[in-house]
Amino acid sequence: MEILKLIRWKNLLMIALMQYLIKYAFFEPFGVDITLNLFGFSLLVLATLCIAAGGYVINDIYDVETDLINKPDHVIVGKTVSEQAANNLFIAFNVIGVGLGFYLSHLVGKSAFFATFIIVSGLLYVYASYLKPMPLVGNLVISAMVALSLIIVGLFELIPAITPANQETQLTFFTILWDYALFAFILNLLREMIKDIEDIDGDYKAGMNTLPIAIGRERAKKIVFAVSFIPLGGAIYYLINYLYGNMVAVVYFLGAIIAPMLYISIKIFMAESKKEFHFISNMIKLVMLLGMLSLIVYKYSLLD
C-alpha cells in the first residue's frame, strides 16, 4: 500500500483513463485509422505509467526535506520505504518504461519515437533534482510532461497510419488532440503554481526559490488568478466556435468545465489559507478529468 501511495496510483489511474478515452472514445468511434491493437496500446499505457511512476518516486526522494514541513503525515521515503528501495524502484520503473518504448517504437515502424521515452525519463529526473526549485521553470516542465502523456497517443496511433488518402483526417484528429493537450498543460501549470503557494513555508525553509518565494505570496496569487482565465477563456472559445450547434456538448461544457473553472477563479481570488489552496488544487485536477471525459460526448458535435 505504501508503494502505491509513493507512485501516486490515483494519478496513474487518471493517466491511463485519459489515454484509453482518447483511443476508444475519440479515435475508434469515428473510424480513424489507428496503428496499435488492444495489447500494443496497453503496452504504450504501461510504458507511460512506468515512467510517470518513476518520476513520482524520484520527486519524493528529493522532496523529503520539504515534505517533512509541508505534509509530514504523507512522507514515505525514509519512513515506510527506505531511500535505497525508492531508488531501486525508480530505476526499475524507468528500465521497464524505456524498454517498452523501444519495443513499441520499432513495432510501429518509427524507431525515432524511442527518443521520446528517453527524453521524458531524463527530464523527470532533472526536474526533481535541479529544475523544481526554479520559479516557473519546473512548473512548465512538469506541465509539458502531462500534455505529452496525451500527445504520445497520437504519435503512436495516428502518425504511423498516415497515408496520402487519409492524411487530412489524421492531422485533423491530431490537431484536436493537441488542443486537449494544451488545455491539460495550462490547467496543470495553474495547479503547480497553486501548489507552490500552498507549500511556500516548507519550500522557503528548504532553500527553494519558487515563484511565491521569489516575488511574494500575494503577487504570485494575482498571477495565478490571471492565469486561471486562460483555460476558462479557451473553453468558452472552443464551445462557441466548435460545439455550439450541439445541445449535449453545450450543456456538458457549461456544467462540467466552464462553471467549475469560473468557480476556481473566484476561489483563487478569495483564498488565504493553505487549506483553501489545497482545495483549489484538487478542484483543478477534477476539471482536468472532466475535460477528458468530454471526449465521450465530443462525437455528437464533431461532425456538425
Side-chain angles (χ1 to χ4, degrees), residues 265-280:
S265 296
I266 295 170
K267 291 293 289 184
I268 291 172
F269 182 78
M270 299 173 61
E272 296 293 339
S273 68
K274 181 183 178 77
K275 183 178 180 181
E276 288 175 304
F277 284 110
H278 183 70
F279 172 78
I280 294 169

Side-chain angles (χ1 to χ4, degrees), residues 2-152:
E2 292 303 312
I3 291 178
L4 288 176
K5 291 180 181 177
L6 180 64
I7 64 175
R8 312 291 200 279
W9 69 271
K10 293 180 182 178
N11 290 355
L12 297 183
L13 188 62
M14 184 171 170
I15 292 172
L17 174 63
M18 290 191 298
Q19 291 187 325
Y20 277 108
L21 278 172
I22 292 169
K23 180 178 177 68
Y24 291 106
F26 185 45
F27 291 165
E28 289 207 350
F30 293 97
V32 179
D33 291 324
I34 52 178
T35 308
L36 298 170
N37 58 22
L38 175 59
F39 177 72
F41 187 75
S42 296
L43 289 182
L44 177 63
V45 173
L46 181 59
T48 306
L49 298 186
C50 283
I51 291 178
Y56 286 127
V57 172
I58 196 65
N59 188 63
D60 272 16
I61 292 172
Y62 278 94
D63 269 4
V64 170
E65 185 180 353
T66 56
D67 287 346
L68 285 171
I69 300 170
N70 291 325
K71 41 188 177 182
D73 296 334
H74 293 85
V75 175
I76 297 174
V77 176
K79 287 189 174 182
T80 54
V81 176
S82 69
E83 185 173 335
Q84 182 61 51
N87 274 301
N88 290 339
L89 282 171
F90 167 71
I91 294 170
F93 280 127
N94 278 280
V95 168
I96 295 171
V98 171
L100 288 173
F102 178 80
Y103 169 75
L104 288 165
S105 299
H106 285 78
L107 180 67
V108 301
K110 299 288 183 180
S111 56
F113 286 179
F114 172 58
T116 305
F117 297 90
I118 297 290
I119 293 170
V120 171
S121 177
L123 271 176
L124 288 174
Y125 177 81
V126 173
Y127 162 78
S129 61
Y130 182 68
L131 297 177
K132 189 175 182 179
M134 296 183 179
L136 282 182
V137 176
N139 301 148
L140 290 167
V141 168
I142 203 65
S143 299
M145 297 300 98
V146 170
L148 188 57
S149 69
L150 307 184
I151 293 172
I152 200 169

